[in-house]
């Protein structure tokens, strides 16, 4: 076998990170540029379609390497999403990932 399963897992994780950065970075850019657009509906929907097309195309390419590769890419996608959300919300990554129970009064 030319490519080991470890290399496929690491590459899949990296591809998931990259897909998430493109997807959510594009979303952030869309939200930032939307108020200054002359045709906001066209800009929003074209951005939406391009972001989802790239994300789904990337996951379809990863799926050709099998289920574990898809799982690692989804984990990478989720980790980058959590990192980007924690940066935007102003929390640290550890505070963002901790599940806190609601306090009842």
């Amino acid at each position: 076998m030319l490519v080991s399963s470890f290399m496929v897992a690491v590459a899949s994780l990296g591809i998931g990170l990259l897909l998430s950065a493109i997807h959510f970075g594009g979303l952030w850019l869309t939200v930032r540029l939307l108020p200054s657009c002359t045709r906001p509906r066209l800009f929003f929907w074209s951005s939406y379609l391009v972001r989802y097309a790239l994300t789904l195309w990337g996951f379809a390419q990863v799926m050709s390497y099998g289920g574990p590769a898809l799982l690692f890419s989804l984990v990478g996608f989720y980790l980058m999403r959590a990192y980007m959300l924690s940066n935007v919300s102003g929390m640290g990554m550890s505070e963002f990932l901790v599940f806190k129970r609601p306090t009842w009064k």
Side-chain angles (χ1 to χ4, degrees):
M1 183 188 228
L2 216 54
V3 181
S4 71
S5 59
F6 178 73
M7 290 172 58
V8 169
V10 170
S12 299
L13 186 72
I15 289 172
L17 292 170
L18 180 67
L19 287 173
S20 183
I22 290 170
H23 185 82
F24 293 109
L27 177 61
W28 177 80
L29 193 61
T30 299
V31 170
R32 296 279 298 203
L33 296 176
L34 202 58
S36 63
C37 285
T38 56
R39 299 178 74 181
R41 276 192 199 144
L42 177 65
F43 181 68
F44 173 78
W45 286 108
S46 60
S47 168
Y48 174 81
L49 291 174
V50 167
R51 284 185 294 114
Y52 274 91
L54 283 172
T55 304
L56 292 175
W57 177 80
F59 282 129
Q61 296 303 311
V62 170
M63 269 187 1
S64 67
Y65 288 96
L70 180 64
L71 181 67
F72 277 105
S73 66
L74 288 172
V75 167
F77 190 85
Y78 177 76
L79 287 176
M80 181 61 83
R81 175 190 163 268
Y83 175 74
M84 293 177 95
L85 280 175
S86 69
N87 274 350
V88 169
S89 67
M91 294 184 198
M93 186 72 163
S94 60
E95 296 167 359
F96 184 77
L97 292 177
V98 172
F99 176 73
K100 295 181 182 176
R101 289 182 161 185
T103 56
W104 300 98
K105 295 182 181 182

